[in-house]
Amino acid sequence: MILSNIRKLIKWGHITGNIEDQKFGSANDYTYFTNNGNIFLVGKARVTLHLDLNAESFKFRDVKQPGTGFEGLFQTLDFNSSSEEEAFTEEHVNYRWDDSTDIEVSIDWFHDNVDNGVVVWGLEYSSIKAGEVVNGTTYTLTQASSGNHLAGNLQTTVFTEKISHLNLEHDDIMAIKLFRKATDAQDTLGEDARAIEVHFHFIRNKLGESI
């Protein structure tokens, strides 16, 4: 669709020259077409995409399993306040990702009762490709919630630390553990913290893998 529309602009005289190996935009922010037709986005031409991990996408081990439930139409993972419970999932590191950029993590959650305590969320991950050790290095992010936590209202906690681009490569399999660090001194919410979704915000600079 993009190429088709640009060819029409060329035909109508709005763009002159060869479509191949061309830049469209300003000096620092532009869309770039290579001579084999690939499209790349640079600077502010790039876009942020969201990878959403809902409660249903997570699996559990026999121990340290959070509760599960529903609140209205929303499925939840219910992490208690007395022990470190954990849930697991896996994702593919997308070719569209700009591999010079880090990935932001946030979590949507709520609690049921009147309690303005803090929740310390944690995310541990490992990323591998063919030929690499499966049970290899892991990396951990933690983040304490902030602001008012009104009972029954959705909260979004954004992690200050990001998933480092140095720990990932395109086409990796990424294993993810979500947990509540309930034994942390900062974690003061005296009831279940009920997670609905985890979001990965990554910057896209291409359509996909070149062939």
Side-chain angles (χ1 to χ4, degrees):
M1 178 65 73
I2 295 174
L3 286 173
S4 174
N5 288 338
I6 292 177
R7 287 193 180 100
K8 288 178 182 177
L9 291 173
I10 293 171
K11 179 180 179 181
W12 296 334
H14 297 299
I15 296 176
T16 59
N18 194 333
I19 188 175
E20 297 178 349
D21 210 17
Q22 291 279 346
K23 295 179 181 180
F24 300 92
S26 66
N28 298 316
D29 309 310
Y30 56 87
T31 301
Y32 177 58
F33 294 80
T34 68
N35 57 14
N36 60 4
N38 288 325
I39 301 174
F40 294 90
L41 310 175
V42 178
K44 293 179 181 178
R46 299 175 302 170
V47 294
T48 298
L49 295 184
H50 291 212
L51 174 63
D52 299 327
L53 308 175
N54 61 31
E56 188 179 21
S57 66
F58 286 87
K59 307 297 182 185
F60 315 106
R61 293 176 175 170
D62 292 336
V63 296
K64 299 184 178 180
Q65 178 175 333
T68 58
F70 280 88
E71 183 72 10
L73 302 179
F74 294 96
Q75 191 167 348
T76 64
L77 300 176
D78 303 335
F79 294 84
N80 72 38
S81 60
S82 59
S83 61
E84 190 174 295
E85 297 176 329
E86 52 195 29
F88 300 84
T89 191
E90 295 170 7
E91 280 296 335
H92 174 253
V93 178
N94 202 292
Y95 283 104
R96 295 173 293 174
W97 164 58
D98 179 349
D99 63 0
S100 69
T101 62
D102 299 334
I103 298 175
E104 183 181 76
V105 179
S106 67
I107 181 168
D108 293 332
W109 64 282
F110 70 102
H111 65 92
D112 291 323
N113 302 302
V114 180
D115 186 333
N116 204 34
V118 170
V119 174
V120 179
W121 291 105
L123 186 134
E124 183 179 358
Y125 67 95
S126 181
S127 190
I128 61 170
K129 59 165 35 73
E132 296 181 342
V133 176
V134 174
N135 189 18
T137 303
T138 67
Y139 307 91
T140 302
L141 316 177
T142 59
Q143 183 64 47
S145 63
S146 62
N148 289 327
H149 303 127
L150 299 177
N153 286 18
L154 186 67
Q155 315 294 327
T156 297
T157 297
V158 180
F159 285 66
T160 301
E161 186 178 1
K162 298 181 179 182
I163 295 173
S164 174
H165 70 280
L166 300 176
N167 301 330
L168 309 175
E169 293 182 22
H170 290 138
D171 204 32
D172 276 1
I173 299 172
M174 187 178 187
I176 300 157
K177 180 177 83 172
L178 174 68
F179 62 97
R180 176 182 178 182
K181 199 174 180 183
T183 56
D184 192 293
Q186 287 185 277
D187 191 301
T188 57
L189 184 75
E191 60 174 314
D192 285 359
R194 306 182 65 188
I196 295 177
E197 281 197 343
V198 174
H199 303 271
F200 286 178
H201 306 151
F202 70 93
I203 294 176
R204 171 182 178 173
N205 70 341
K206 63 186 76 68
L207 296 186
E209 179 187 14
S210 300
I211 58 174

